[in-house]
PDB file of all heavy atoms in Angstrom:
ATOM      1  N   ARG A  13      97.878 107.783 109.139  1.00 98.00           N
ATOM      2  CA  ARG A  13      97.301 106.629 109.837  1.00 98.00           C
ATOM      3  C   ARG A  13      97.968 105.335 109.373  1.00 98.00           C
ATOM      4  O   ARG A  13      98.812 104.787 110.058  1.00 98.00           O
ATOM      5  CB  ARG A  13      95.776 106.601 109.623  1.00 98.00           C
ATOM      6  CG  ARG A  13      95.065 105.734 110.631  1.00 98.00           C
ATOM      7  CD  ARG A  13      95.072 104.260 110.292  1.00 98.00           C
ATOM      8  NE  ARG A  13      94.360 103.940 109.077  1.00 98.00           N
ATOM      9  CZ  ARG A  13      94.381 102.741 108.517  1.00 98.00           C
ATOM     10  NH1 ARG A  13      95.067 101.746 109.067  1.00 98.00           N
ATOM     11  NH2 ARG A  13      93.736 102.517 107.386  1.00 98.00           N
ATOM     12  N   ASP A  14      97.677 104.852 108.159  1.00 98.00           N
ATOM     13  CA  ASP A  14      98.306 103.600 107.724  1.00 98.00           C
ATOM     14  C   ASP A  14      99.803 103.828 107.539  1.00 98.00           C
ATOM     15  O   ASP A  14     100.628 102.972 107.867  1.00 98.00           O
ATOM     16  CB  ASP A  14      97.672 103.096 106.418  1.00 98.00           C
ATOM     17  CG  ASP A  14      97.624 101.572 106.352  1.00 98.00           C
ATOM     18  OD1 ASP A  14      98.601 100.949 106.787  1.00 98.00           O
ATOM     19  OD2 ASP A  14      96.634 101.015 105.857  1.00 98.00           O
ATOM     20  N   LEU A  73      89.994 106.845 112.280  1.00 98.00           N
ATOM     21  CA  LEU A  73      89.721 105.404 112.141  1.00 98.00           C
ATOM     22  C   LEU A  73      89.172 104.850 113.456  1.00 98.00           C
ATOM     23  O   LEU A  73      89.611 105.247 114.540  1.00 98.00           O
ATOM     24  CB  LEU A  73      91.008 104.661 111.758  1.00 98.00           C
ATOM     25  CG  LEU A  73      90.836 103.156 111.512  1.00 98.00           C
ATOM     26  CD1 LEU A  73      90.096 102.890 110.206  1.00 98.00           C
ATOM     27  CD2 LEU A  73      92.195 102.442 111.481  1.00 98.00           C
ATOM     28  N   HIS A  97      85.654 106.558 109.923  1.00 98.00           N
ATOM     29  CA  HIS A  97      85.951 105.372 109.112  1.00 98.00           C
ATOM     30  C   HIS A  97      85.961 104.176 110.049  1.00 98.00           C
ATOM     31  O   HIS A  97      86.842 104.051 110.891  1.00 98.00           O
ATOM     32  CB  HIS A  97      87.322 105.573 108.445  1.00 98.00           C
ATOM     33  CG  HIS A  97      87.809 104.389 107.667  1.00 98.00           C
ATOM     34  ND1 HIS A  97      89.097 104.288 107.209  1.00 98.00           N
ATOM     35  CD2 HIS A  97      87.185 103.259 107.253  1.00 98.00           C
ATOM     36  CE1 HIS A  97      89.246 103.149 106.550  1.00 98.00           C
ATOM     37  NE2 HIS A  97      88.102 102.504 106.570  1.00 98.00           N
ATOM     38  N   PHE A  99      85.707  99.854 110.561  1.00 98.00           N
ATOM     39  CA  PHE A  99      86.039  98.651 109.776  1.00 98.00           C
ATOM     40  C   PHE A  99      85.877  97.382 110.589  1.00 98.00           C
ATOM     41  O   PHE A  99      85.972  97.402 111.826  1.00 98.00           O
ATOM     42  CB  PHE A  99      87.481  98.754 109.235  1.00 98.00           C
ATOM     43  CG  PHE A  99      88.543  98.580 110.285  1.00 98.00           C
ATOM     44  CD1 PHE A  99      89.199  97.357 110.434  1.00 98.00           C
ATOM     45  CD2 PHE A  99      88.895  99.621 111.130  1.00 98.00           C
ATOM     46  CE1 PHE A  99      90.183  97.182 111.407  1.00 98.00           C
ATOM     47  CE2 PHE A  99      89.870  99.456 112.105  1.00 98.00           C
ATOM     48  CZ  PHE A  99      90.519  98.245 112.243  1.00 98.00           C
ATOM     49  N   SER A 139      84.786  99.822 105.968  1.00 98.00           N
ATOM     50  CA  SER A 139      85.723  98.937 105.259  1.00 98.00           C
ATOM     51  C   SER A 139      85.540  97.505 105.723  1.00 98.00           C
ATOM     52  O   SER A 139      85.720  97.222 106.921  1.00 98.00           O
ATOM     53  CB  SER A 139      87.176  99.321 105.567  1.00 98.00           C
ATOM     54  OG  SER A 139      87.511 100.539 105.001  1.00 98.00           O
ATOM     55  N   GLU A 141      87.415  94.673 106.224  1.00 98.00           N
ATOM     56  CA  GLU A 141      88.853  94.395 106.209  1.00 98.00           C
ATOM     57  C   GLU A 141      89.119  93.048 105.540  1.00 98.00           C
ATOM     58  O   GLU A 141      88.349  92.101 105.689  1.00 98.00           O
ATOM     59  CB  GLU A 141      89.393  94.390 107.652  1.00 98.00           C
ATOM     60  CG  GLU A 141      90.908  94.348 107.705  1.00 98.00           C
ATOM     61  CD  GLU A 141      91.445  94.062 109.113  1.00 98.00           C
ATOM     62  OE1 GLU A 141      90.636  93.904 110.040  1.00 98.00           O
ATOM     63  OE2 GLU A 141      92.668  93.974 109.253  1.00 98.00           O
ATOM     64  N   ASP A 142      90.209  92.963 104.815  1.00 97.00           N
ATOM     65  CA  ASP A 142      90.590  91.763 104.066  1.00 97.00           C
ATOM     66  C   ASP A 142      89.535  91.397 103.026  1.00 97.00           C
ATOM     67  O   ASP A 142      89.315  90.212 102.717  1.00 97.00           O
ATOM     68  CB  ASP A 142      90.846  90.575 105.024  1.00 97.00           C
ATOM     69  CG  ASP A 142      91.789  89.533 104.408  1.00 97.00           C
ATOM     70  OD1 ASP A 142      92.487  89.871 103.422  1.00 97.00           O
ATOM     71  OD2 ASP A 142      91.824  88.393 104.887  1.00 97.00           O
ATOM     72  N   ASN A 167      84.728 101.178 101.349  1.00 98.00           N
ATOM     73  CA  ASN A 167      86.134 101.041 100.975  1.00 98.00           C
ATOM     74  C   ASN A 167      86.488  99.552 100.896  1.00 98.00           C
ATOM     75  O   ASN A 167      86.226  98.799 101.835  1.00 98.00           O
ATOM     76  CB  ASN A 167      86.985 101.747 102.033  1.00 98.00           C
ATOM     77  CG  ASN A 167      88.455 101.620 101.759  1.00 98.00           C
ATOM     78  OD1 ASN A 167      88.896 101.819 100.620  1.00 98.00           O
ATOM     79  ND2 ASN A 167      89.233 101.279 102.760  1.00 98.00           N
ATOM     80  N   PRO A 169      89.353  97.103 100.973  1.00 98.00           N
ATOM     81  CA  PRO A 169      90.794  96.988 101.211  1.00 98.00           C
ATOM     82  C   PRO A 169      91.353  95.658 100.721  1.00 98.00           C
ATOM     83  O   PRO A 169      90.757  94.609 100.953  1.00 98.00           O
ATOM     84  CB  PRO A 169      90.928  97.055 102.734  1.00 98.00           C
ATOM     85  CG  PRO A 169      89.553  97.160 103.301  1.00 98.00           C
ATOM     86  CD  PRO A 169      88.588  96.821 102.208  1.00 98.00           C
ATOM     87  N   THR A 171      93.875  94.121 102.073  1.00 98.00           N
ATOM     88  CA  THR A 171      94.651  94.305 103.302  1.00 98.00           C
ATOM     89  C   THR A 171      96.038  93.675 103.244  1.00 98.00           C
ATOM     90  O   THR A 171      96.999  94.191 103.798  1.00 98.00           O
ATOM     91  CB  THR A 171      93.843  93.713 104.482  1.00 98.00           C
ATOM     92  OG1 THR A 171      92.580  94.367 104.503  1.00 98.00           O
ATOM     93  CG2 THR A 171      94.541  93.876 105.810  1.00 98.00           C
ATOM     94  N   HIS A 202      91.684 100.479  98.825  1.00 98.00           N
ATOM     95  CA  HIS A 202      92.797 100.679  99.763  1.00 98.00           C
ATOM     96  C   HIS A 202      93.729  99.481  99.550  1.00 98.00           C
ATOM     97  O   HIS A 202      93.459  98.385 100.024  1.00 98.00           O
ATOM     98  CB  HIS A 202      92.195 100.685 101.178  1.00 98.00           C
ATOM     99  CG  HIS A 202      93.181 100.748 102.282  1.00 98.00           C
ATOM    100  ND1 HIS A 202      93.341 101.846 103.099  1.00 98.00           N
ATOM    101  CD2 HIS A 202      94.057  99.835 102.765  1.00 98.00           C
ATOM    102  CE1 HIS A 202      94.248 101.607 104.022  1.00 98.00           C
ATOM    103  NE2 HIS A 202      94.715 100.389 103.831  1.00 98.00           N
ATOM    104  N   HIS A 204      97.371  97.391  99.489  1.00 98.00           N
ATOM    105  CA  HIS A 204      98.716  97.253 100.054  1.00 98.00           C
ATOM    106  C   HIS A 204      99.649  96.687  98.997  1.00 98.00           C
ATOM    107  O   HIS A 204      99.221  96.076  98.014  1.00 98.00           O
ATOM    108  CB  HIS A 204      98.678  96.417 101.340  1.00 98.00           C
ATOM    109  CG  HIS A 204      98.273  97.270 102.504  1.00 98.00           C
ATOM    110  ND1 HIS A 204      99.189  97.973 103.236  1.00 98.00           N
ATOM    111  CD2 HIS A 204      97.055  97.564 103.012  1.00 98.00           C
ATOM    112  CE1 HIS A 204      98.546  98.669 104.174  1.00 98.00           C
ATOM    113  NE2 HIS A 204      97.246  98.438 104.058  1.00 98.00           N
ATOM    114  N   GLN A 509      94.787  96.946 114.001  1.00 82.00           N
ATOM    115  CA  GLN A 509      94.446  95.612 113.513  1.00 82.00           C
ATOM    116  C   GLN A 509      94.942  94.509 114.461  1.00 82.00           C
ATOM    117  O   GLN A 509      95.082  93.363 114.058  1.00 82.00           O
ATOM    118  CB  GLN A 509      94.980  95.436 112.089  1.00 82.00           C
ATOM    119  CG  GLN A 509      94.111  96.205 111.105  1.00 82.00           C
ATOM    120  CD  GLN A 509      94.892  96.784 109.950  1.00 82.00           C
ATOM    121  OE1 GLN A 509      95.973  97.322 110.114  1.00 82.00           O
ATOM    122  NE2 GLN A 509      94.338  96.669 108.757  1.00 82.00           N
TER     123      GLN A 509
HETATM  124  O1  KIV B   1      94.608  97.539 105.195  1.00 52.38           O
HETATM  125  C1  KIV B   1      93.500  97.625 105.744  1.00 52.38           C
HETATM  126  O2  KIV B   1      92.637  96.754 105.644  1.00 52.38           O
HETATM  127  C2  KIV B   1      93.259  98.804 106.561  1.00 52.38           C
HETATM  128  C3  KIV B   1      91.859  99.010 107.033  1.00 52.38           C
HETATM  129  C4  KIV B   1      91.808  99.529 108.416  1.00 52.38           C
HETATM  130  C5  KIV B   1      91.128  99.873 106.063  1.00 52.38           C
HETATM  131  O3  KIV B   1      94.139  99.601 106.772  1.00 52.38           O
END
Side-chain angles (χ1 to χ4, degrees):
R13 198 278 296 172
D14 214 320
L73 183 72
H97 175 192
F99 73 100
S139 291
E141 190 191 0
D142 205 17
N167 178 46
T171 303
H202 174 111
H204 278 272
Q509 285 146 318

